[in-house]
Amino acid sequence: MPTLLITGAAGIVGTALRPLLRPHYHLRLLDYRPVEALAEGETALLGNLTDPALVQQAVEGVDGIVHLACAHGPQISFQRTVEPNYHATLYLLEAAQRCGVQRFVFTSSHHVLGQYRSDSAEFFDDMPVAPDSYYAMSKVFGEGACTAFAERYGMATFVIRIGNADPQVSDARRLRMWTSARDLAQLVRIGLEHPAVRHDIVYGVSESPQPLFHNQRARALGYQPQDNAADHLAAGYLSYEAMSASDSGRDYVGGAYAGTPLTSTLE
Ligand SMILES: NC(=O)c1ccc[n+]([C@@H]2O[C@H](COP(=O)([O-])OP(=O)(O)OC[C@H]3O[C@@H](n4cnc5c(N)ncnc54)[C@H](O)[C@@H]3O)[C@@H](O)[C@H]2O)c1
């Protein structure tokens, strides 16, 4: 069975993906928080991706990488993204290239398009990026680094711009971009296994009654979502009308991120 390195494995997405990927790969689970309840076929590596020596150790002997770990949040300063989101992503890509790892899955975010008003296009798939935060800007960098390594070294990279991966759909904005864990796992496996992957960008979204993303490239690679966001509404689901009109994020792809002031880089 091939071995997969998952970074940020103790987080929401990593924890949801583990049982779905475990039947197909040995999992090497890296995080600076402890990874709970290791199952057969899983090993944990505790440490910070900002340590290049740790990254090289983590990458040695793996067949593919799923890079989830990052610093995030609407208010995060640029400075706080530099080490974990820029440096660490480059450490991983370079270590992967040195070790001959052929597959690299990078989880980006719908926030790379978050600054758009959600009524400004029918589908946003092919719009130029409009990141809504320093977090989202770092994802744009990660996407570009993936493409650069793919073109330069022939590594197959697969960027998944995740919509929302919460267990249930909490409001009308997220209804348009929610993904189930099993649909996300299906996409991750396409990224790791499909022979046509070179440096693709797809959307990590299930079906939706009002989708923001068409996801043509994922579908062309065989993606068939099993779930529809409309069937997974949370108990306290907020319709568009119920979302406060004063909520500055209601009308933006990136929600509240789009209305959160950027902290100064000058001071
Ligand atoms: N959850 C969502 O709805 C969502 C939406 C869009 C994109 N994403 C993307 O998916 C990925 C996973 O998101 P998540 O919701 O699981 O986040 P999370 O915060 O729950 O998990 C991230 C994990 O990474 C670890 N981590 C962070 N920096 C690290 C470092 N330098 N070294 C080692 N470990 C580190 C954290 O300890 C944490 O366990 C992220 O890249 C995120 O941008 C998630």
Side-chain angles (χ1 to χ4, degrees):
M1 222 188 256
T3 299
L4 203 57
L5 169 67
I6 303 182
T7 73
I12 295 171
V13 171
T15 303
L17 287 178
R18 279 169 58 198
L20 299 162
L21 296 177
R22 217 153 46 210
H24 310 286
Y25 310 95
H26 290 299
L27 301 182
R28 190 179 294 176
L29 304 169
L30 187 150
D31 206 296
Y32 57 39
R33 297 189 295 158
V35 176
E36 305 293 341
L38 287 184
E40 199 181 326
E42 293 182 330
T43 53
L45 196 53
L46 193 66
N48 198 322
L49 283 171
T50 58
D51 172 359
L54 175 95
V55 172
Q56 287 183 71
Q57 182 197 340
V59 167
E60 262 163 37
V62 304
D63 301 287
I65 297 172
V66 179
H67 181 30
L68 305 174
C70 70
H72 55 81
Q75 289 176 321
I76 196 165
S77 66
F78 170 71
Q79 288 81 354
R80 282 187 52 213
T81 64
V82 172
E83 276 295 317
N85 297 7
Y86 293 79
H87 287 228
T89 299
L90 286 179
Y91 296 156
L92 272 169
L93 281 165
E94 189 180 336
Q97 184 267 322
R98 281 194 192 177
C99 293
V101 180
Q102 293 297 320
R103 293 279 171 156
F104 192 94
V105 174
F106 176 68
T107 50
S108 181
S109 170
H110 72 277
H111 286 291
V112 300
L113 299 160
Q115 203 59 52
Y116 286 117
R117 281 187 64 91
S118 29
D119 59 3
S120 64
E122 191 183 358
F123 295 109
F124 287 82
D125 302 54
D126 300 325
M127 298 282 277
V129 289
D132 58 20
S133 52
Y134 290 121
Y135 156 65
M137 291 184 206
S138 74
K139 290 297 189 188
V140 172
F141 169 81
E143 293 186 358
C146 285
T147 307
F149 271 70
E151 282 295 316
R152 185 176 278 265
Y153 301 116
M155 182 190 299
T157 63
F158 194 68
V159 170
I160 306 176
R161 290 178 175 170
I162 297 178
N164 176 254
D166 290 339
Q168 292 189 303
V169 184
S170 55
D171 61 34
R173 185 182 71 88
R174 292 177 173 91
L175 179 72
R176 308 187 69 183
M177 60 174 74
W178 180 83
T179 180
S180 67
R182 67 172 168 170
D183 284 342
L184 193 53
Q186 187 191 148
L187 275 177
V188 167
R189 290 194 63 200
I190 288 171
L192 293 168
E193 295 169 24
H194 198 293
V197 168
R198 191 155 159 241
H199 52 63
D200 291 286
I201 298 181
V202 301
Y203 290 85
V205 292
S206 293
E207 298 289 10
S208 164
Q210 227 192 327
L212 283 177
F213 309 108
H214 207 279
N215 224 0
Q216 278 140 318
R217 182 59 186 152
R219 290 175 200 275
L221 291 168
Y223 177 53
Q224 293 185 320
Q226 302 296 296
D227 294 299
N228 191 312
D231 300 327
H232 297 269
L233 304 190
Y237 174 79
L238 293 176
S239 65
Y240 180 77
E241 292 70 31
M243 292 172 81
S244 161
S246 62
D247 173 351
S248 62
R250 188 178 74 163
D251 294 314
Y252 287 86
V253 171
Y257 280 60
T260 304
L262 295 174
T263 54
S264 174
T265 55
L266 294 172
E267 289 152 19

